[in-house]
Amino acid sequence: QVRIVQSGGGLAQPGGSLRVSCAASGITFRLTPVAWYRQAPGEQREWVGNITSAGTTNYKDSVKGRFSITRNNGRNTAYLSMNNLKPEDTAVYYCNIPSWRGRTWWGQGTQVTVSS
């Protein structure tokens, strides 16, 4: 059974840092890319970035230089590290496995709030 479980996130002040983890089970994690999305209130879900199975990363322009996606295949876990956070980063963040056994898989979502 495939499970994608997120943890971390929370509240940070502008300029602060947070990290969200994404632990996967039931898949061969080292073979799968992982993507991160976010959805702000009243907005559509948007792509934030991704990491390939080889470890190559890509990011949305507005988070380049501030956000970092990494993976630890030994722990079947991917991480979204967020630095220099801005109020406009406030959203629910989702981990995504784009394709495994013919479908896409989502984590449960993690709230990130940036406020003073």
Side-chain angles (χ1 to χ4, degrees):
Q1 181 180 359
V2 178
R3 294 189 67 204
I4 312 297
V5 179
Q6 298 179 218
S7 60
L11 174 64
Q13 293 186 341
S17 299
L18 288 171
R19 189 176 79 164
V20 183
S21 300
C22 169
S25 58
I27 68 174
T28 306
F29 184 76
R30 62 182 174 81
L31 298 180
T32 65
V34 178
W36 288 92
Y37 288 76
R38 66 186 181 186
Q39 187 166 19
E43 302 290 333
Q44 290 190 336
R45 191 172 297 189
E46 65 174 4
W47 175 82
V48 173
N50 67 277
I51 185 166
T52 68
S53 57
T56 301
T57 54
N58 301 282
Y59 300 97
K60 177 182 175 64
D61 283 349
S62 63
V63 308
K64 282 181 182 177
R66 301 189 297 121
F67 288 16
S68 175
I69 299 172
T70 55
R71 64 189 300 156
N72 183 326
N73 290 336
R75 295 186 175 185
N76 286 0
T77 301
Y79 304 94
L80 174 65
S81 299
M82 301 173 283
N83 299 310
N84 191 20
L85 282 162
K86 303 177 180 181
E88 53 263 41
D89 295 319
T90 296
V92 177
Y93 284 72
Y94 295 92
C95 174
N96 171 257
I97 305 295
S99 180
W100 182 260
R101 293 182 179 174
R103 56 160 288 186
T104 190
W105 301 87
W106 293 94
Q108 79 276 20
T110 300
Q111 179 68 46
V112 169
T113 302
V114 184
S115 175
S116 56

